[in-house]
Amino acid sequence: MTASVAGALRQFGAAYLAQHSLSTPQAKAWRGIAACHTAALGGDRLACDAGGHSQWHYHSCRNRHCPQCGTRAKDAWLQERGWRRCWTFPTLTWCSRCHTA
C-alpha cells in the first residue's frame, strides 16, 4: 500500500484532532479527503464480463484541496484561462484477475 494524505488523516487524524481544532472549512476539507475513494462516499460495483471478477470503484470527494481529485478542478480552472495539460490514457483496459497480458 502506498502512503497518501487520506491514509495519514485516517490513521493519525483522531490523535491530531484531540489536541488541535479546525475551522469549519478546514474540517470540511479534512472529512472529504479522509473519505475520498472509500465506501463512505458510495461507489459502483464493476464486474468483468469475461471472468466474473468484480470490484468496487468508490466515488471521490471532489474537494479542490484533495491531492487525489483536486487536480481535476485545477485543470479546469487552468483550461478556462487558456492553459492546457496533456494526458495519456491506456487504449485498452482489462481485468488483470481474469485476463493475462
Side-chain angles (χ1 to χ4, degrees), residues 21-29 31:
S21 62
L22 301 176
S23 67
T24 302
Q26 289 171 330
K28 182 179 177 182
R31 286 189 306 272

Side-chain angles (χ1 to χ4, degrees), residues 6-25:
L9 293 179
R10 286 190 291 270
Q11 185 174 355
F12 305 110
Y16 180 85
L17 291 175
Q19 297 185 14
H20 300 85
S21 62
L22 301 176
S23 67
T24 302

